[in-house]
Amino acid sequence: MGDIASLNPERTMDLSRREALRLGLIGAGGILLPWPGGDSVRADQPCPEGVACLSHDPHELAGPYVPTRISPQIPRFERPFEPLLVRSGQSVATDLDAYKITMQPGSVEIVPGKSTSVWTYDGTMPGPCIRQQKGRGSVVRFVNQLQDAAGIGVSTSIHLHGMASLPQYDGYAEDLIPFDHYKDYYYPNDKAGPFWFHDHAIGHASRNVYMGLAGMYLVDYDHCDFLDPTQAERLPSDAFDIPLLIQDKRLDADGQLIFNDNLQRSLYGDVMLVNGVPWPRLAVKDRKYRFRILNGGTSRVLNLRVMASFEGHFMPLEMVVVASDSGLLPAPVPTATLRMGVAERYEVIIDFTGMAGRQVYLNNPIQAVNCDADLRSTSLLCFDVSSGPADTTPLPESLGRLTPIDRLRSEVRRPVRTFRLDRLGNQWVINNHRWDPRRIEARVGPCATEIWRFINPGGGWVHPLHVHLGHFRLLSRNGVTPPAHEQGMKDTFYVGDFETLDIIGRFGPHEGRYMMHCHNLVHEDHDMMSQFEVGNGGCDPCGAPARPLPEPSSFDEPIGIPDHECSTNDDGRICL
Ligand code: C2O
Ligand code: CU
C-alpha cells in the first residue's frame, strides 16, 4: 500500500487543526426571551403517573433509584451555540489522511463562572469533529496523556462507531492504551455516514465517555451514495449543515461532573448539553437546515420534536429524516418525533421558512423510560430565526441506494439467532452471560447474511443494542414493520421494554472477533456485552497493541500506514 510517509505529528496537528470552521451562525446572544410556560416540569415534580421509579426488578434488593443531586441552576437559551471544531486530516500518502488526537484532562464552563474538569480529545469536550472524504483511508494516532484528578493514568480504547474497521482497530474493550502510550488506528472510510468515536475501555466506558471522551466523525457522501446524484445538491450544506451532539450531565455545586451510575443501573443527567454547551441558542435563517444529530449520552433516551412559538402558543414543526446511523435513507421521511436511544444518529432537515422573527425549540418531552423526574427543562436548544435569502430548493425526492430486503432475506442460510437481554442479579447479561473475552456468542460465516433477534423480556428498561462491524436493517419490532425512518442502514437498535426486534445484515468485509453490546453505557460496563466471530481467522483484536510514548517532548514518530499483518493469537488472552 504505497510508501510510508514520514511526517512530524506535531506538524500534522498544526496543519490539520484548521481554523474552527464556522458551521453555524453564532447566536446573537442579545435578546433573551423567556420560554413561555417553560420549565413547567420542575425538579420537584414526581415521575409521570404509572412510571415506577423504584428498582424495577422485584428480585433485586437494591433501593430505589435516587437521583444523585440536582445540578446548579443554569440559565436556559442564553449561551450561544458552538459548532463542533472540524478537523480534516493531513494527506500522508495517495490514499491516506493522518490525524493526531491527544487524550488529556481539560476544563470547560458549564455552570456560569465555574470551571468543570473534563477528559478530552485534544482539549475540547466534545472532541473535534473529524470530517473525512469517503474512499480515502485515515490513520488516527490517539495519544494517551490522560490522568484522573488523583494523578492516576486512565487506560482508554477508542471505537469508531459505525465504521467497519479491522478487529485490531475497532476499539476492542480489552485492547487498552495505557497512560503514556499511543496507538494508531486505521480506518477504511469506505462507507459514508454520521459516525462517532468514543471511549470503549473495559468496565469504564460509561465513566470515560461521560467525562468527555466522545467526538463525531463524518464521512462525506459521494455521488455513488445517491440513487440520483443530481439530487444530492438539494440537501442543505456548508453553513446550513450542522452537527448536534447531545449529552446529559449532572454537576455538583462546584460545577464538577458527578458520575453516579446508581448501582450500575443507569445515569441520567439533568443538564442538557448540545456540543458541550448547556441549553444553547442558535441563530438561523428562515430556510432549510440539515442537522446531524447524535445521542452521545450515557443512558438517556431522547424523543425529539420541534416546536415553534406563536403568540404564546406552540406549534409543532415537522422534521424530515434523510439519513440514519450508517447512511442515507432511500427517500426523505417526514416525522413529528424522533426517538433516539444512546448512540443512534439521524440526519434531519428542519425548515424554518416562514418562522422569521420567532423562536423555535428543539424539544425533548419527559420520557417515562428514562425515569427522570428531575430533568428540569424539556427543551434542549433554541433557534432564533431571522430572515435571509429565499430558499427555493426543494428537498430531494430520492436519496440513497439500499439493498432490497427481499434480496437480503434470500441470502440467509441459517435460522434466526436469538439474543436475550436480561438482568441477572445486579448484572446485565446477554443470553445469560456476562462479558468474557474467551467466550464467542455467535460464529458467523464470512460475509454471511443473518437475521438476529433481540429480546427484551421486560423489566422497565430499554437497551439500545449496538453490533460492531456490520450495517443492518431493522425488519420488525414485535412483529410490526418499523416506521420508515427506522428502515434505513443502522448499527444501533432501540430495544424497548417487552420488545423483540429482528434485524438483518451481512457480516463483513472483515473476519475476526467483534463486540456487540447495549449502548446504555452503564449496562455495557456491567456487563451486557458479548462478542461474535466472523470466519475462523482474521486479525486478533489485540494484535496491534499500544506503544509507549518515547519522550513526550520529543515525540515525533512518523504517522504512516499501519502494519496490517495479523498476528496469530487465538488463545483469547486478555489484552493487557
Ligand atoms: Cu458506540 Cu461498542 O460502541
Ligand atoms: Cu441496556
Side-chain angles (χ1 to χ4, degrees):
M1 256 187 87
D3 53 330
I4 305 266
S6 175
L7 189 87
N8 181 327
E10 294 306 330
R11 185 167 156 72
T12 310
M13 202 161 86
D14 285 340
L15 292 175
S16 55
R17 183 186 275 162
R18 304 221 165 121
E19 284 291 292
L21 194 62
R22 291 287 152 189
L23 278 178
L25 310 159
I26 301 296
I31 9 148
L32 170 69
L33 295 174
W35 159 254
D39 294 343
S40 55
V41 180
R42 301 297 314 181
D44 48 357
Q45 278 193 347
C47 272
E49 237 199 314
V51 178
C53 268
L54 298 177
S55 165
H56 303 272
D57 186 339
H59 308 295
E60 194 177 273
L61 292 172
Y65 174 92
V66 183
T68 350
R69 230 179 292 178
I70 302 300
S71 302
Q73 284 288 342
I74 297 172
R76 312 271 142 77
F77 315 123
E78 279 188 11
R79 288 264 300 268
F81 174 83
E82 285 178 25
L84 295 175
L85 180 70
V86 175
R87 291 271 293 271
S88 17
Q90 174 68 29
S91 171
V92 289
T94 44
D95 55 357
L96 191 70
D97 296 318
Y99 300 81
K100 180 180 165 227
I101 290 180
T102 301
M103 295 167 280
Q104 61 198 68
S107 63
V108 295
E109 184 177 319
I110 297 174
V111 179
K114 311 249 179 206
S115 151
T116 302
S117 301
V118 293
W119 295 351
T120 75
Y121 289 124
D122 263 359
T124 63
M125 187 209 78
C129 172
I130 288 183
R131 185 102 193 225
Q132 179 63 36
Q133 190 186 327
K134 191 177 150 196
R136 290 181 61 79
S138 57
V139 57
V140 187
R141 171 162 297 170
F142 283 98
V143 180
N144 186 350
Q145 295 277 298
L146 184 61
Q147 288 172 298
D148 67 12
I152 297 167
V154 177
S155 292
T156 63
S157 174
I158 298 98
H159 173 51
L160 176 47
H161 184 134
M163 184 71 66
S165 307
L166 285 165
Q168 69 272 39
Y169 305 123
D170 196 45
Y172 193 68
E174 318 242 354
D175 177 31
L176 297 170
I177 310 177
F179 174 68
D180 254 345
H181 284 60
Y182 73 98
K183 171 166 172 158
D184 293 346
Y185 287 76
Y186 174 81
Y187 304 121
N189 305 312
D190 50 0
K191 181 145 182 57
F195 307 141
W196 66 302
F197 59 100
H198 62 77
D199 192 77
H200 217 306
I202 183 72
H204 292 294
S206 52
R207 179 200 62 184
N208 296 359
V209 175
Y210 181 80
M211 288 300 292
L213 297 181
M216 286 181 90
Y217 187 112
L218 306 174
V219 180
D220 288 324
Y221 301 104
D222 63 18
H223 66 279
C224 300
D225 292 311
F226 287 86
L227 187 64
D228 173 2
T230 62
Q231 305 231 344
E233 285 132 47
R234 296 201 196 166
L235 288 174
S237 59
D238 303 320
F240 309 110
D241 175 1
I242 303 179
L244 304 177
L245 198 167
I246 300 172
Q247 297 177 306
D248 53 317
K249 309 277 185 202
R250 190 177 294 274
L251 299 109
D252 66 18
D254 293 328
Q256 297 309 315
L257 290 173
I258 299 172
F259 178 79
N260 179 339
D261 64 11
N262 285 284
L263 304 170
Q264 309 184 348
R265 278 196 217 99
S266 283
L267 186 160
Y268 299 109
D270 59 354
V271 173
M272 300 305 293
L273 304 182
V274 181
N275 296 354
V277 179
W279 296 288
R281 187 174 195 92
L282 170 60
V284 294
K285 295 293 175 197
D286 53 347
R287 53 157 291 142
K288 288 192 268 306
Y289 280 75
R290 170 187 191 174
F291 296 100
R292 308 193 194 218
I293 309 176
L294 158 65
N295 180 350
T298 313
S299 304
R300 179 177 297 288
V301 174
L302 302 173
N303 198 1
L304 303 177
R305 59 181 182 175
V306 180
M307 304 292 279
S309 66
F310 271 100
E311 284 86 43
H313 294 93
F314 290 93
M315 188 189 84
L317 279 191
E318 191 176 76
M319 289 173 275
V320 179
V321 187
V322 294
S324 53
D325 300 345
S326 35
L328 294 166
L329 294 177
V333 177
T335 183
T337 59
L338 198 55
R339 183 179 66 190
M340 300 181 70
V342 176
E344 285 189 284
R345 290 91 67 204
Y346 285 108
E347 297 183 20
V348 305
I349 309 291
I350 300 175
D351 192 350
F352 298 104
T353 302
M355 297 292 141
R358 302 189 186 280
Q359 279 74 49
V360 175
Y361 294 86
L362 184 62
N363 184 245
N364 179 43
I366 292 286
Q367 286 296 292
V369 291
N370 289 328
C371 229
D372 55 359
D374 54 333
L375 179 63
R376 287 177 294 172
S377 169
T378 62
S379 282
L380 311 174
L381 174 61
C382 173
F383 303 101
D384 247 332
V385 191
S386 63
S387 66
D391 169 17
T392 51
T393 315
L395 277 180
E397 278 135 35
S398 71
L399 293 164
R401 318 159 174 271
L402 269 74
T403 309
I405 290 285
D406 287 348
R407 183 156 136 218
L408 289 173
R409 279 188 187 276
S410 72
E411 295 169 2
V412 176
R413 296 282 174 271
R414 71 173 312 285
V416 172
R417 262 186 229 274
T418 297
F419 301 87
R420 202 181 131 107
L421 313 172
D422 265 311
R423 179 97 168 139
L424 192 68
N426 53 6
Q427 294 289 322
W428 304 96
V429 292
I430 298 179
N431 287 346
N432 284 328
H433 295 288
R434 299 177 53 180
W435 169 250
D436 175 354
R438 286 161 297 268
R439 188 188 153 76
I440 310 265
E441 191 64 38
R443 294 184 183 278
V444 181
C447 271
T449 306
E450 298 205 352
I451 297 178
W452 284 15
R453 178 167 296 160
F454 304 131
I455 300 172
N456 178 351
W461 37 71
V462 168
H463 304 296
L465 224 284
H466 171 44
V467 183
H468 286 222
L469 180 67
H471 301 103
F472 306 90
R473 310 275 288 281
L474 177 57
L475 292 173
S476 64
R477 178 178 275 117
N478 284 349
V480 177
T481 306
H485 67 267
E486 272 195 301
Q487 292 180 36
M489 302 296 287
K490 286 183 65 60
D491 55 44
T492 307
F493 299 90
Y494 181 100
V495 190
D497 214 10
F498 299 107
E499 285 185 347
T500 294
L501 269 64
D502 280 1
I503 68 163
I504 192 167
R506 294 182 182 135
F507 288 79
H510 310 303
E511 297 189 22
R513 280 183 286 145
Y514 288 92
M515 299 173 288
M516 61 177 290
H517 57 89
C518 177
H519 222 296
N520 176 329
L521 295 169
V522 174
H523 297 187
E524 168 185 335
D525 282 342
H526 309 284
D527 217 14
M528 194 173 263
M529 181 159 81
S530 68
Q531 65 186 338
F532 57 97
E533 180 162 22
V534 180
N536 293 313
C539 294
D540 171 9
C542 302
R547 289 188 275 175
L549 277 175
E551 269 287 306
S553 51
S554 67
F555 174 48
D556 61 352
E557 290 282 310
I559 297 182
I561 298 164
D563 179 5
H564 283 195
E565 289 300 308
C566 296
S567 67
T568 46
N569 160 38
D570 245 343
D571 58 5
R573 73 185 152 86
I574 297 176
C575 309
L576 262 186

